[in-house]
Amino acid sequence: MSEITYVFGAGASIKSMPIVNNFVKRFETYLNFLADINEEFRSENRNFITQIKSHLSFDTYFKKLFHQNQNELIQKNKNLLLSFFIFEHLIPLNYYYSYADPNEISDYIIDKEYHVDPRYDALVASLLKPLKGKCEFYGKVNFITWNYDLNLLFAIKNFLASIKSLQEFINTFNCSENTFVFSEQLTLVHLNGFIRHKSLEFSEDVTIEFMYAVFKELIETHNKPEQVEKNIQTINFAWENMQPNNLSDVPKFIIDSITAVKNSHSVILTGYSLPLYNRYFDEQIFSYQNIRDKYIYVRDPRSAQITETFYSDFGISRPEFRGKGDPIVYESDSCDSFFVPSNIYKASHVIKLTIDSNLINAKQKIDSVNKLEELHKLDKIQIVGAERLFEEMKNYKNIKAQIKVGNYQNIGEPFLIGHSRIGACLHIFS
C-alpha cells in the first residue's frame, strides 16, 4: 500500500490560529475581549502574556516551568492557553476585528481568515478516492502534528463521521496517549496533545452572547484545581511524557511517529520549522535511517531556511553530494493549499508477503529479508503481518523490532504455502 506522512507545525493553521510571530499581538486582542467579561481574569492573562514576551515562544516558557518543576503554575497557565485557543476557534470574525487594534490590523490580523481552516477539509477530500458512500483513501495516510488546534480533527470528522459530535468522535478514535487510529488507512498523532472543550463543535451560528456564556463558565472554574485538571488533560507537551531519568524509554506516540515516517515513501512538512526545543524528538523521527530513500517536501514561506536546517543538522546530503539512499528534499514557499504528492494517485497491484517473528530482521542482518524490505519500499511488494506475528511480538522488548512490526498491516491468518524447519515462514496473501 502506498503510504505518505504529513508533519504539521503552527504555520499549517495560520489561516485560523496564531503563530509564533503574531502570538503576542493576537493575545492582546483576546485581552480586549476579556475586558468585557472579567477584569481579574484579564489581569491574570496579562501577566501570562508578559511572561511569554520574554521568551521565544510559549513552548519555551512552558519548557522552563517544566524543568523548574512548577506543576501548579503549569496547570494554571495551560488553562489560560486553552481559553485563548477556544477564543481563537470560536470568535466570529466580525467581532474579532472589533476587538483588534485598528492601527495594527494589517500587521498581525490579516492572516486570520477563518475560525476553522477550510484547507484541511480540502486536503482530506483530495486524499479520498471518488467512491460514492465510502471513505477510502488512495493509500495509507499518517498525520503528525505539533499543533493543539482542532482544524485537522474537525476536517477528518466531517468525512468519516459527520453526524457525530466532535467530542463523541474524539472519544471513539483517541486510542492511546496522543494517538488516533481511524482505520487501517488513516492515523493521527498530536505530539503535544490537543485542546478540548464542550463548546468546540464549530456551529455556524456562534453569537457573542454564546461566547460570553462559555467564558463565564471557564472563569468560574479557573480556580478549581480538579476542574482545571479535567479541562487541560489532553494538552500534554511531548517532553512531559518522558520518564524521569530515562530518555531511552520513548513514549508510544513517538514510536508511532517514527513508524509512520519510516514506512512512507513521501513526507510532507507544512508550516514546521524544526525548532530547537523539539530537536530531541525530531532527531528520532527524522533520523537518517528513518528517511532514507524518501521524498521530503517542505512547504513554508521560509522553506529554504528549513531545508538548510535539514542539511546542516540532520545529516542529509545537499543535492550536489547526494548519494545512493539519500532522501530528496523539495522546497516551496506556496501555502495557499496543502500539497499532495502526485505519486499517491498512481494505481498499483502488489503481492503481499507475511513473515513471522524469526524474520523481523531488527538488526538488518538477514540479506534475503533486506532485499524484500527494499522491494517493499519501492512498492513492488507489500510486507504485512499475520495475526500470530502481532501476538508473539506483544511483549517483545526490542524497540527496533516493535517499530518494524508497526510497519506491517495485520491481515489475519494467510494461506500457508511453505515453511522452513526452524519455523520461519513465508506466506502469500491475495
Side-chain angles (χ1 to χ4, degrees):
M1 183 189 298
S2 180
E3 187 164 348
I4 62 173
T5 294
Y6 284 87
V7 180
F8 292 131
S13 293
I14 193 171
K15 298 290 186 182
S16 66
M17 305 301 284
I19 59 173
V20 170
N21 291 345
N22 63 19
F23 186 89
V24 171
K25 289 295 185 183
R26 294 270 278 261
F27 202 96
E28 289 172 350
T29 298
Y30 170 57
L31 292 178
N32 294 337
F33 165 77
L34 291 179
D36 289 347
I37 302 176
N38 186 291
E39 186 55 42
E40 184 179 347
F41 188 65
R42 180 175 184 247
S43 177
E44 187 171 346
N45 276 273
R46 189 187 293 112
N47 292 337
F48 171 65
I49 199 62
T50 299
Q51 291 295 326
I52 301 301
K53 286 179 182 178
S54 63
H55 297 80
L56 182 64
S57 69
F58 72 82
D59 302 78
T60 309
Y61 174 57
F62 275 101
K63 196 164 192 291
K64 183 176 81 173
L65 296 180
F66 167 76
H67 289 295
Q68 294 174 344
N69 203 31
Q70 297 195 44
N71 294 328
E72 185 176 342
L73 191 54
I74 289 172
Q75 296 282 93
K76 278 224 163 189
N77 285 342
K78 278 187 180 181
N79 204 45
L80 297 179
L81 192 64
L82 168 67
S83 300
F84 173 52
F85 282 142
I86 290 174
F87 168 79
E88 284 279 351
H89 253 324
L90 288 183
I91 187 75
L93 285 180
N94 57 323
Y95 287 108
Y96 196 97
Y97 283 100
S98 71
Y99 289 114
D101 183 341
N103 297 317
E104 296 182 339
I105 284 179
S106 61
D107 293 332
Y108 70 95
I109 291 293
I110 195 166
D111 286 326
K112 187 171 180 66
E113 299 177 29
Y114 311 97
H115 60 280
V116 179
D117 192 336
R119 294 177 304 153
Y120 285 92
D121 241 27
L123 173 62
V124 176
S126 68
L127 295 169
L128 287 167
K129 294 180 180 179
L131 301 172
K132 188 175 182 179
K134 296 178 66 176
C135 285
E136 184 177 326
F137 291 85
Y138 283 99
K140 185 174 182 186
V141 181
N142 309 296
F143 292 113
I144 300 170
T145 179
W146 287 98
N147 298 336
Y148 315 86
D149 65 69
L150 299 177
N151 282 302
L152 179 55
L153 269 169
F154 189 62
I156 293 172
K157 185 199 85 74
N158 283 345
F159 285 90
L160 268 61
S162 59
I163 60 173
K164 284 189 175 184
S165 72
L166 183 59
Q167 303 310 312
E168 288 177 307
F169 185 71
I170 290 172
N171 288 338
T172 301
F173 294 105
N174 186 199
C175 62
S176 65
E177 291 180 328
N178 301 350
T179 300
F180 293 79
V181 177
F182 304 102
S183 70
E184 289 185 348
Q185 285 193 310
L186 184 63
T187 67
L188 164 62
V189 177
H190 268 277
L191 292 167
N192 278 333
F194 54 96
I195 61 170
R196 187 173 185 181
H197 191 263
K198 62 184 180 181
S199 66
L200 295 171
E201 291 295 339
F202 305 115
S203 168
E204 292 298 323
D205 57 353
V206 171
T207 63
I208 196 65
E209 290 76 21
F210 175 77
M211 293 287 296
Y212 288 159
V214 168
F215 275 83
K216 182 181 178 182
E217 182 179 331
L218 284 168
I219 292 166
E220 286 175 351
T221 60
H222 180 61
N223 292 313
K224 298 178 181 178
E226 288 184 4
Q227 186 60 47
V228 168
E229 186 175 353
K230 182 179 178 181
N231 286 349
I232 65 170
Q233 62 183 332
T234 58
I235 302 176
N236 300 298
F237 295 104
W239 57 77
E240 292 180 303
N241 292 279
M242 301 299 296
Q243 294 299 317
N245 305 317
N246 186 10
L247 290 180
S248 63
D249 192 1
V250 181
K252 182 180 181 301
F253 64 87
I254 296 296
I255 293 177
D256 292 339
S257 302
I258 293 170
T259 299
V261 170
K262 188 178 182 66
N263 207 34
S264 296
H265 58 72
S266 298
V267 180
I268 305 97
L269 271 72
T270 303
Y272 185 56
S273 61
L274 302 166
L276 282 172
Y277 50 76
N278 289 335
R279 188 56 53 88
Y280 172 78
F281 302 102
D282 286 338
E283 285 189 343
Q284 294 184 69
I285 295 169
F286 301 114
S287 68
Y288 182 79
Q289 186 61 35
N290 224 27
I291 57 176
R292 276 180 59 87
D293 298 310
K294 302 284 187 284
Y295 295 106
I296 299 176
Y297 301 90
V298 178
R299 291 295 185 271
D300 189 274
R302 298 174 301 146
S303 61
Q305 181 180 335
I306 297 167
T307 300
E308 179 60 32
T309 300
F310 260 128
Y311 291 145
S312 62
D313 295 7
F314 288 83
I316 297 178
S317 298
R318 299 175 189 278
E320 60 269 31
F321 302 115
R322 185 180 298 126
K324 183 179 179 181
D326 287 339
I328 301 174
V329 183
Y330 298 98
E331 63 186 61
S332 173
D333 295 347
S334 175
C335 296
D336 290 337
S337 61
F338 291 121
F339 173 76
V340 179
S342 59
N343 53 18
I344 196 173
Y345 299 115
K346 295 176 182 177
S348 62
H349 301 280
V350 298
I351 294 174
K352 293 183 179 181
L353 300 173
T354 76
I355 58 179
D356 75 4
S357 55
N358 291 312
L359 289 176
I360 287 303
N361 194 28
K363 296 181 179 179
Q364 304 297 131
K365 290 186 176 181
I366 308 174
D367 288 340
S368 58
V369 180
N370 286 339
K371 291 176 182 177
L372 288 175
E373 289 174 350
E374 287 299 318
L375 291 172
H376 173 86
K377 289 178 183 177
L378 295 170
D379 282 340
K380 301 294 185 183
I381 64 170
Q382 185 185 355
I383 298 177
V384 294
E387 185 66 37
R388 66 188 69 186
L389 171 68
F390 293 89
E391 286 297 321
E392 290 175 9
M393 297 300 292
K394 274 183 179 178
N395 299 315
Y396 207 76
K397 302 295 184 183
N398 188 309
I399 289 180
K400 288 184 179 180
Q402 289 180 14
I403 291 172
K404 290 180 75 68
V405 170
N407 288 334
Y408 303 146
Q409 176 191 358
N410 186 339
I411 49 80
E413 285 301 306
F415 176 70
L416 177 64
I417 62 169
H419 64 89
S420 72
R421 291 181 181 177
I422 62 170
C425 305
L426 192 62
H427 310 275
I428 237 176
F429 179 82
S430 60

